[in-house]
Amino acid sequence: LLKIKDMKYLKLLFTFLILTSTLISCNCFKGKASETMINLENTSWQLVKTKDRNYVVNEEKPDGISISFADANFSSSDGCNALGGEYKTEGNTIEFGPTRATMRYCDEEYMRKFGYYVPFHSVEKYEIKNNKLYLYESDGKTLLAEYSKK
C-alpha cells in the first residue's frame, strides 16, 4: 500500500499535470514573441524568390524588390513600378484586396533583371519563420513567394 507521503507526492504531481495541460490547451503561454511572429503590420520584407525565380540583391539594386505592410495596406515595388492595396489577416490566413499598380515603362533589360510577379490574388496563407515571410496558395504548401526581413 501507498504511504501518506507517497499519496501527497502523487496528488501534487496530478495537480501539476492538470495545470500544465490546461495552460497549454488555452495558449496561456502565448506571449509577445509569438504575436510578432504572425503580425505583418509595420514590417518590411525583401523578395528572395517567387514560385519560379530566385532574386539576388546586388550593387545595381541594393534595396531589392520589397513589400511593406502598414495601416492595413501593403505596398510592393521593384524600383520601376509599384503595386499596393489593402490586406487583412486572421491567424495564418491572408487576403489581399484589389490591387492598384503603376504602369511606367521599364526597359527590357531592367525587366529581365528585376521584373517580378507575385500573384497576390492567389495568396491565402502566410508563415513567418526565421525572419522569412512565406506566401502560399490555399493548400498551404504551394509557395508563391519568399521574402527576408529588412
Side-chain angles (χ1 to χ4, degrees):
L1 292 172
L2 294 173
K3 296 179 183 177
I4 293 176
K5 187 177 179 183
D6 293 334
M7 290 293 285
K8 285 181 181 178
Y9 175 74
L10 283 173
K11 192 175 185 180
L12 182 64
L13 181 62
F14 182 75
T15 304
F16 175 77
L17 290 173
I18 295 292
L19 180 63
T20 302
S21 65
T22 302
L23 289 173
I24 290 171
S25 68
C26 77
N27 287 327
C28 295
F29 287 123
K30 187 176 180 180
K32 192 162 181 105
S34 63
E35 288 174 21
T36 58
M37 294 308 293
I38 62 169
N39 187 3
L40 289 172
E41 194 64 19
N42 298 316
T43 62
S44 294
W45 306 85
Q46 190 166 34
L47 186 64
V48 174
K49 69 179 179 179
T50 57
K51 191 175 183 177
D52 56 356
R53 184 172 174 192
N54 292 330
Y55 292 86
V56 179
V57 176
N58 57 46
E59 302 86 38
E60 198 176 342
K61 186 147 180 47
D63 292 334
I65 299 167
S66 63
I67 188 169
S68 298
F69 299 89
D71 301 322
N73 286 284
F74 78 98
S75 59
S76 182
S77 174
D78 63 6
C80 181
N81 281 292
L83 174 73
E86 294 179 357
Y87 81 97
K88 57 184 164 181
T89 62
E90 186 175 320
N92 73 332
T93 62
I94 187 167
E95 181 182 337
F96 291 94
T99 57
R100 54 195 174 280
T102 59
M103 297 179 73
R104 295 185 193 114
Y105 172 76
C106 309
D107 66 43
E108 210 172 300
E109 183 180 345
Y110 184 92
M111 291 306 292
R112 193 171 40 260
K113 288 182 183 177
F114 306 113
Y116 73 105
Y117 177 69
V118 176
F120 292 106
H121 64 280
S122 296
V123 175
E124 291 189 25
K125 295 189 186 279
Y126 75 100
E127 176 182 37
I128 299 173
K129 190 164 75 175
N130 299 325
N131 287 323
K132 299 245 180 165
L133 168 64
Y134 302 93
L135 301 178
Y136 298 99
E137 285 185 348
S138 61
D139 64 7
K141 295 175 186 170
T142 305
L143 181 68
L144 297 174
E146 176 185 325
Y147 293 85
S148 63
K149 188 137 176 78
K150 279 182 118 179

